[in-house]
Amino acid sequence: MSHPNYRLNLRPLRTPRGVSSLVGPHGVGASPGDKKSKNKTARGKKKSIFETYMSKEDVSEGLKRGTLIQGVLRINPKKFHEAFIPCPDGDRDIFIDGVVARNRALNGDLVVVKLLPEEQWKVIKPESNDKETEGAYESDLPEELCGSHLPQQSLKGYNDSPDVIIEAQFDDSDSEDGHGHTQNALVDGVKKISVCVHEKGKEDAGAPVTKDENTLMQQDTRALPEKSLQRSAKVVYILEKKHSRAATGFLKLLADKNSELFRKYALFSPSDHRVPRIYVPLKDCPQDFLTRPKDYANTLFICRIVDWKEDSNFALGQLAKSLGQAGEIEPETEGILTEYGVDFSDFPSEVLECLPQSLPWTVPSEEFSKRRDLRKDCIFTIDPSTARDLDDALSCKSLADGNFEVGVHIADVSYFVPEGSNLDKVAAERATSVYLVQKVVPMLPRLLCEELCSLNPMTDKLTFSVIWTLTPEGKIVDEWFGRTIIRSCTKLSYEHAQSMIESPTKSVPEQELPPISPEHTGEEVHRAVLNLHGMAKELRKQRFADGALRLDQPKLAFTLDHETGLPQGCHIYEYRDSNKLVEEFMLLANMAVAHKIHRVFPERALLRRHPPPQTKMLNDLMEFCDQMGLPMDFSSAGALHKSLTETFGDDKYSLARKEVLTNMCSRPMQMAVYFCSGMLQDQAQFRHYALNVPLYTHFTSPIRRFADVLVHRLLAAALGYREPPDVEPDALQKQADHCNDRRMASNRVQELSTSLFFAILVKESGPLESEAMVLGVLNQAFDVLVLRYGVQKRIYCNALPLRSHHFQKMGKKPELTLVWEPEDVEQEPVQQVITIFSLVEVVLQAEAPALKYGAILKRPGTEGLLDPQVEGGVRSRLSSRRTEAASLAQPSSPTAPPTGF
């Protein structure tokens, strides 16, 4: 069992300093009080609230016999007494009811559960609109499925404007999994994009959800008696404590001033209600907290759980530090990073000593004899305009026979990261760079990320290349892998490449292009981009003809105030042909490398697989589409893609319906994961569902993903550059598992960073108005996808000025009739019917807590929406707020790789 490191910058797989490795796993769940008097036995000892964990031997035996089941625990962020683990056979999730049954496990932990007797299983009424039958998801969606390969969040200045544009979201929206990250949480059985970091764990204030208030997705699938029960279980062991055991929140005094505990402890109340309330020693608290607690009412603290006894409702913790005022960007960001175990500390001296010490660094002369010299070739990068970590470059040379020599050239990071070095260890531990809205937490020191490894123009760089001979239709005639030296002739932005694509016959004016090295011309680069674009279109067309899937989901991009760092506006990032060009060749390189390393090392290849969708959720979605009269084919990834692209028209309503259905189709999708080929016996399990290919890996982003560094080492060994790696399949699988864990944490942090900035935007610039489409109807509320911002919100009837509301089913379709209170006594009440796919107008507005906002429905017939031409309808009133922002006054441009390939 691994234990988190309880330093401020957590590394999840180590034992905390000062905490015995024998301390039991600590858990989650909140209870209103430590009921000491009620829990005492006649002997004066406290009764156990939680069961003692089973022994490792019994757990091992139970898992072998099938009497115990293991899985990752997911706690519903809106109803934190409900938790779930996936069912191994893909059926409905196994339900874990309440904090006691959860037995001190935290969200994300790998747990072992024992099924309860059938009479204790959750009863699901077949005709109830009950949706609370599946687990609460956050980031466990395939982040690559989007097809919208976006650049990393990057800062981009426009002319002399003081404002900063954040170009895009998320580092890994690989089209390999069909969709990008959306902050999804299954709330009441429906995955919802939860936009506010302070919403997690609570119902919207003043708008409670009733027991039978549920959305449509799972209704009526349990008419048969055997479908009316959901298997329920209790946690008996924690195999791996994946949760960081750190939380952000607020300090409070204990309620009972006369108790012995009052003089020793304060109560820490986490912002995330899935984490228990925690006793913290008063000696850890500010000196005047006991006498002036109200002074700290809005101060955000970090606390780490160090123990949670069987006989206590509350955990025991240590206060790590005060972050600052809740609702401010930097304290909230540090809290998010800490909660998810992201190491954002400076690289220690022993790591920096591994870097080249004599600068400026130049390519050693001996490397020229070991590598193919491509410095004279026309090679260039295409990235976000202010990207600093340039992983990949492209080249395209016309051949006499009409074919093309196309190269993908990737920074040779493994050259600078010796295996087993301190630098290697810290990179392996971090496993990924983490991209926030305003900055990046790098996997490698900036000297490597932004200078030595980055393929900056007009400097000699070490690379690992895949070079093909391709026909104009993108068919592979020949293929070569090898170490190379390149000299990029220019750094194109996506905008530059797009302008070239859009001007096929006319040259782009020199002043509109970046500097190009004298050995090459703008016309030469333009011609290469056009040729690559032509082949990319063919490759893409063939991929989808061969059965690939892409689920486009909107990604928010922000405009930041240059001085304060606060968001001024936001818009949906546009994914264009220049993005697709880069995407296609990165996918091609990743697939080529996957086949090469698997051919040479069939037992020790690090690959990436994408399992098919969860059976139960897919069946529910199929039934839903059937009920709604939507001709969707879910038989394969390609069939689903074809349905989504061919079912809908181009009018506004059809596009909105497509967006909603795309969102629904993302719910059954599973995560793509790294794995070692020798650990799976059935090669059919190697397949990548969304790409519909037998083998795939990650090779193209080694500056920001450690998995790619491992793949580079495997490829080098396969080509005879080095000895085969001395690693057993199970050890490589552990590395793969760690990369998977850190990638999921990184995805979640990125989502929360976006949520934080959007919540601040609503607070500072709201209310914001938008059209929205209904995607779920409940008894007393309904869920909408807010089309302008790509976020999901729940709208509650009791928050609207209604005379009455009425829920009914028309056949199997839910319908909510709203009767609006007239604004004028002489007017008749206005009636509005809400069904799935209804198009409505909503208003997003800040609510009382610092970073919480809600959605309300606009009364039918009221004034139109804000001007969509103005930054997504938003213009921030921040001109007078140019103070107290030293740390963000000059936001550093995150190193922004082009895609997540």
Side-chain angles (χ1 to χ4, degrees), residues 1-6 11-16 21 23-26 56 109-110 237-243 245 738 741:
M1 184 186 300
S2 33
H3 295 265
N5 186 334
Y6 292 119
R11 294 182 183 165
L13 301 179
R14 297 183 184 168
T15 305
S21 61
V23 170
H26 326 301
K56 284 185 182 179
D109 285 351
L110 181 61
Y237 194 74
I238 301 179
L239 279 173
E240 193 169 353
K241 297 184 290 186
K242 303 267 189 177
H243 190 284
R245 267 60 190 173
H738 181 63
D741 291 342

Side-chain angles (χ1 to χ4, degrees), residues 325-387:
Q325 291 301 294
E328 293 182 359
I329 288 172
E330 285 307 294
E332 295 281 357
T333 296
E334 186 173 339
I336 291 167
L337 291 169
T338 303
E339 282 188 19
Y340 284 87
V342 175
D343 183 356
F344 56 94
S345 61
D346 292 335
F347 288 94
S349 57
E350 61 267 24
V351 169
L352 299 177
E353 285 166 7
C354 300
L355 303 176
Q357 300 300 305
S358 57
L359 298 174
W361 180 85
T362 54
V363 174
S365 55
E366 63 268 20
E367 287 301 315
F368 289 93
S369 61
K370 300 175 185 176
R371 297 172 180 262
R372 189 163 158 181
D373 188 348
L374 303 177
R375 289 177 297 166
K376 291 183 179 177
D377 288 12
C378 178
I379 296 174
F380 48 86
T381 57
I382 304 176
D383 288 280
S385 57
T386 56

Side-chain angles (χ1 to χ4, degrees), residues 33 88 101 150 225 284 299 305 378 406 447 535 544-545 551 639 647 765 773 788 799 816 818 848 860:
L150 297 181
D284 288 355
T299 302
I305 293 173
C378 178
V406 175
L447 178 65
M535 283 179 280
F544 289 117
L551 296 177
T647 300
S765 309
M773 182 163 274
R788 182 169 289 167
L816 192 59
L818 311 180

Side-chain angles (χ1 to χ4, degrees), residues 199-488:
E199 285 183 329
K200 49 191 180 175
K202 331 178 179 178
E203 300 294 343
D204 282 67
V209 180
T210 60
K211 262 289 186 191
D212 60 348
E213 183 180 292
N214 308 291
T215 42
L216 173 73
M217 284 290 303
Q218 267 105 22
Q219 71 175 44
D220 299 322
T221 60
R222 300 166 294 280
L224 299 174
E226 65 267 21
K227 295 255 187 165
S228 63
L229 293 177
Q230 180 171 15
R231 285 187 287 181
S232 302
K234 62 181 180 181
V235 173
V236 296
Y237 194 74
I238 301 179
L239 279 173
E240 193 169 353
K241 297 184 290 186
K242 303 267 189 177
H243 190 284
S244 68
R245 267 60 190 173
T248 58
F250 301 91
L251 275 183
K252 299 176 181 178
L253 292 175
L254 294 180
D256 185 359
K257 294 187 177 182
N258 299 318
S259 73
E260 195 177 318
L261 286 171
F262 185 86
R263 291 186 290 277
K264 292 182 180 177
Y265 295 99
L267 186 65
F268 179 81
S269 181
S271 302
D272 184 347
H273 285 203
R274 295 171 296 180
V275 180
R277 282 182 273 181
I278 304 165
Y279 287 137
V280 293
L282 277 173
K283 63 180 175 60
D284 288 355
C285 301
Q287 287 185 344
D288 59 347
F289 172 70
L290 197 57
T291 55
R292 303 176 62 88
K294 288 184 179 176
D295 290 0
Y296 298 92
N298 198 43
T299 302
L300 207 56
F301 291 89
I302 291 177
C303 181
R304 309 180 206 107
I305 293 173
V306 294
D307 199 4
W308 195 355
K309 303 291 187 188
E310 291 172 13
D311 61 2
S312 176
N313 285 304
F314 292 178
L316 186 65
Q318 292 176 343
L319 212 57
K321 68 178 289 190
S322 166
L323 291 173
Q325 291 301 294
E328 293 182 359
I329 288 172
E330 285 307 294
E332 295 281 357
T333 296
E334 186 173 339
I336 291 167
L337 291 169
T338 303
E339 282 188 19
Y340 284 87
V342 175
D343 183 356
F344 56 94
S345 61
D346 292 335
F347 288 94
S349 57
E350 61 267 24
V351 169
L352 299 177
E353 285 166 7
C354 300
L355 303 176
Q357 300 300 305
S358 57
L359 298 174
W361 180 85
T362 54
V363 174
S365 55
E366 63 268 20
E367 287 301 315
F368 289 93
S369 61
K370 300 175 185 176
R371 297 172 180 262
R372 189 163 158 181
D373 188 348
L374 303 177
R375 289 177 297 166
K376 291 183 179 177
D377 288 12
C378 178
I379 296 174
F380 48 86
T381 57
I382 304 176
D383 288 280
S385 57
T386 56
R388 291 183 181 179
D389 54 348
L390 313 183
D391 282 290
D392 54 275
L394 291 163
S395 61
C396 181
K397 193 187 298 181
S398 297
L399 302 177
D401 59 3
N403 291 331
F404 298 95
E405 183 184 276
V406 175
V408 168
H409 314 279
I410 306 300
D412 190 357
V413 175
S414 60
Y415 174 88
F416 294 97
V417 184
E419 195 167 359
S421 65
N422 288 323
L423 176 59
D424 182 48
K425 288 171 186 170
V426 77
E429 185 64 38
R430 291 191 177 202
T432 180
S433 295
V434 179
Y435 291 84
L436 306 166
V437 169
Q438 79 279 30
K439 61 187 176 184
V440 66
V441 179
M443 180 181 81
L444 295 168
R446 293 192 185 278
L447 178 65
L448 290 186
C449 287
E450 299 176 8
E451 295 182 46
L452 303 189
C453 295
S454 184
L455 305 183
N456 299 325
M458 291 172 256
T459 53
D460 295 352
K461 296 292 179 180
L462 301 180
T463 45
F464 223 142
S465 300
V466 185
I467 298 175
W468 302 275
T469 301
L470 296 179
T471 68
E473 296 74 39
K475 302 292 183 190
I476 297 174
V477 177
D478 193 23
E479 184 174 70
W480 179 86
F481 302 90
R483 284 180 166 164
T484 51
I485 302 173
I486 70 164
R487 186 180 179 88
S488 169

Side-chain angles (χ1 to χ4, degrees), residues 2 43 65 78 86 90 153 156 181 194 270 425 528 612 619 643 655 673 768 781:
S2 33
R43 302 166 107 184
R65 289 201 315 265
K78 289 277 188 177
Q153 190 82 4
K156 166 176 144 191
H181 320 292
S194 166
K425 288 171 186 170
N619 290 340
S643 295
L655 291 173
V673 290
L768 311 182

Side-chain angles (χ1 to χ4, degrees), residues 675-790:
F675 72 102
C676 172
S677 56
M679 297 300 287
L680 282 179
Q681 300 306 311
D682 182 5
Q683 198 164 323
Q685 291 184 298
F686 291 17
R687 287 197 67 83
H688 199 293
Y689 171 80
L691 291 177
N692 196 30
V693 294
L695 296 174
Y696 190 69
T697 194
H698 272 168
F699 162 75
T700 54
S701 294
I703 292 177
R704 61 191 176 86
R705 285 190 310 231
F706 192 73
D708 301 54
V709 177
L710 296 174
V711 168
H712 276 231
R713 290 172 181 166
L714 282 166
L715 181 60
L719 297 172
Y721 289 120
R722 53 166 285 169
E723 291 296 309
D726 182 23
V727 60
E728 292 302 313
D730 60 339
L732 186 56
Q733 183 60 48
K734 284 182 179 173
Q735 286 186 296
D737 290 341
H738 181 63
C739 287
N740 292 329
D741 291 342
R742 297 319 306 157
R743 188 177 174 90
M744 279 190 69
S746 169
N747 293 347
R748 183 66 180 141
V749 165
Q750 291 165 28
E751 292 161 1
L752 289 172
S753 178
T754 301
S755 298
L756 169 66
F757 274 77
F758 191 68
I760 290 172
L761 182 67
V762 173
K763 179 185 171 189
E764 297 288 346
S765 309
L768 311 182
E769 300 182 23
S770 172
E771 285 184 303
M773 182 163 274
V774 176
L775 46 70
V777 178
L778 299 81
N779 294 21
Q780 301 182 53
F782 55 96
D783 297 324
V784 297
L785 179 65
V786 183
L787 298 172
R788 182 169 289 167
Y789 307 110

Side-chain angles (χ1 to χ4, degrees), residues 540-568:
R540 192 175 196 80
K541 187 168 81 176
Q542 191 59 49
R543 270 202 313 114
F544 289 117
D546 290 343
L549 168 65
R550 169 182 170 186
L551 296 177
D552 280 324
Q553 299 210 64
K555 313 274 187 308
L556 268 182
F558 292 89
T559 308
L560 301 186
D561 182 274
H562 188 62
E563 294 182 23
T564 66
L566 291 169
Q568 289 183 310

Side-chain angles (χ1 to χ4, degrees), residues 791-811:
V791 301
Q792 290 182 42
K793 291 299 287 181
R794 176 162 293 177
I795 296 176
Y796 294 92
C797 293
N798 65 0
L800 303 174
L802 300 179
R803 178 168 289 184
S804 65
H805 60 274
H806 173 66
F807 176 84
Q808 63 179 345
K809 285 185 186 173
M810 302 299 290

